[in-house]
Amino acid sequence: MAAAADTAKPRPKTSPKSIKFLFGGLAGMGATVFVQPLDLVKNRMQLSGQGSKAREYKTSFHAVTSILRNEGIRGIYTGLSAGLLRQATYTTTRLGIYTVLFERMSKADGTPPNFFMKALIGMTAGATGAFVGTPAEVALIRMTADGRLPPDQRRGYTNVFNALIRITREEGVTTLWRGCIPTMARAVVVNAAQLASYSQSKQALLDSGYFRDDILCHFCASMISGLVTTAASMPVDIVKTRIQNMRMIDGKPEYKNGLDVLVKVIRKEGFFSLWKGFTPYYARLGPHTVLTFIFLEQMNKFYKIYFLDS
């Protein structure tokens, strides 16, 4: 018994839970600074041709050039404050909960949970984070959509806090969680698809003999995973975008629910319109994931060197 106790390895020191939450949010915010223009283009593409209107943007490149021409360089970063707040809420909660549950489900000797449990933890963390981040998501969708409207129809939010205050005052506090169900559904789909496809892609790349377990491998695996995740989650994402941006018409909402969005989009715009904005969505997902984890690893490394090992 004593020998077993002597040979048992103590768990390595880890940072406090509050630091894990903080670093998760900061990593997501840092990545958003780089990919916000792609989020803007994705949202504009998903709203383009809404209903029976002609599409405003033919391609993602056309959307970028139109935004730059009509709204200037600053226009391409419209909604950045909302994007940062979304990461501060959604990513902080998601990565924090994932890390805490991951550690709790790991065995005393440090053995991680199995793949099924990892997927379950990821989906739980994603859904919880999505619920917390929905108000910022609503503000982001509206702010990025504003520039495509005629001046007299624009909401004119000056920043994310102005958006949240005005939405609460003009439409009620529950509007901040409009589209919450499809937002959470999207988070579950994204986390499930991302975990499975990233794990398989990384293993396939390592087994090929051409890659080592480094940033290049992580980036390539993320881009392959992003392709699968984008294809799986875009129909849910367009439902979320349309619901969060919808207006009241004659006292009634444009859409009754998520199924109504899907039916109307397919009937009026075609089945493949469910994947509108595929290119910017895909181009955003891979790099954002890579940048988030690079920033997160560096912050954890810095904290370990200067606070845990000192």
Side-chain angles (χ1 to χ4, degrees):
M1 181 76 75
D6 290 339
T7 57
K9 292 181 180 179
R11 281 200 176 194
K13 290 182 181 179
T14 60
S15 53
K17 291 180 176 62
S18 58
I19 295 296
K20 290 183 173 72
F21 277 70
L22 175 65
F23 285 176
L26 289 176
M29 291 169 77
T32 293
V33 172
F34 292 91
V35 303
Q36 175 64 21
L38 293 169
D39 221 11
L40 171 74
V41 173
K42 185 267 293 183
N43 290 339
R44 292 282 181 91
M45 290 289 288
Q46 288 184 332
L47 294 167
S48 177
Q50 189 170 1
S52 57
K53 297 176 184 176
R55 290 194 180 190
E56 296 151 281
Y57 309 116
K58 297 173 184 175
T59 63
S60 298
F61 181 73
H62 180 225
V64 172
T65 54
S66 296
I67 293 166
L68 288 172
R69 186 172 59 249
N70 299 325
E71 301 168 51
I73 293 290
R74 289 184 64 184
I76 206 73
Y77 269 94
T78 299
L80 177 61
S81 62
L84 292 173
L85 182 62
R86 180 180 65 175
Q87 293 303 321
T89 50
Y90 167 65
T91 304
T92 299
T93 305
R94 179 173 70 96
L95 289 181
I97 288 177
Y98 183 84
T99 305
V100 170
L101 290 178
F102 188 91
E103 287 183 356
R104 186 159 294 182
M105 295 298 175
S106 297
K107 295 180 181 177
D109 62 358
T111 304
N114 59 39
F115 180 79
F116 174 77
M117 187 56 67
K118 284 180 187 174
L120 188 61
I121 291 171
M123 289 187 284
T124 302
T128 308
F131 178 80
V132 175
T134 295
E137 186 88 36
V138 171
L140 175 65
I141 295 299
R142 293 186 174 198
M143 290 175 76
T144 53
D146 224 24
R148 58 183 281 274
L149 299 170
D152 61 317
Q153 294 180 26
R154 293 177 186 173
R155 292 180 170 105
Y157 302 135
T158 53
N159 55 60
V160 64
F161 299 109
N162 174 254
L164 296 176
I165 291 168
R166 281 185 51 194
I167 291 169
T168 302
R169 189 171 61 235
E170 296 167 11
E171 303 172 57
V173 70
T174 55
T175 306
L176 294 176
W177 275 271
R178 179 179 286 171
C180 179
I181 300 301
T183 301
M184 293 173 71
R186 173 192 170 276
V188 169
V189 172
V190 165
N191 279 277
Q194 220 169 34
L195 275 168
S197 57
Y198 181 83
S199 176
Q200 288 298 112
S201 301
K202 182 181 174 184
Q203 193 58 53
L205 291 172
L206 291 173
D207 290 345
S208 72
Y210 294 104
F211 290 86
R212 290 181 298 172
D213 193 358
D214 52 19
I215 289 178
L216 176 62
C217 177
H218 301 164
F219 179 80
C220 292
S222 292
M223 295 308 287
I224 296 169
S225 170
L227 191 64
V228 176
T229 306
T230 299
S233 64
M234 277 216 75
V236 186
D237 193 67
I238 200 168
V239 168
K240 173 193 73 66
T241 300
R242 293 285 178 93
I243 287 178
Q244 290 175 336
N245 189 58
M246 72 179 177
R247 294 177 180 273
M248 303 298 284
I249 300 174
D250 297 326
K252 295 180 180 179
E254 286 182 76
Y255 304 106
K256 298 173 185 175
N257 49 47
L259 182 61
D260 187 40
V261 176
L262 290 174
V263 170
K264 286 181 177 176
V265 169
I266 293 171
R267 189 173 67 238
K268 296 180 180 179
E269 303 168 48
F271 177 74
F272 289 104
S273 290
L274 294 175
W275 285 271
K276 263 185 200 172
F278 185 96
T279 303
Y281 187 105
Y282 170 56
R284 173 198 177 280
L285 196 61
H288 188 275
T289 302
V290 172
L291 288 168
T292 297
F293 282 105
I294 287 174
F295 289 143
L296 188 60
E297 290 289 350
Q298 292 306 308
M299 285 188 283
N300 283 330
K301 183 179 178 182
F302 175 86
Y303 187 87
K304 184 175 185 296
I305 292 171
Y306 289 96
F307 293 97
L308 295 180
D309 295 342
S310 57

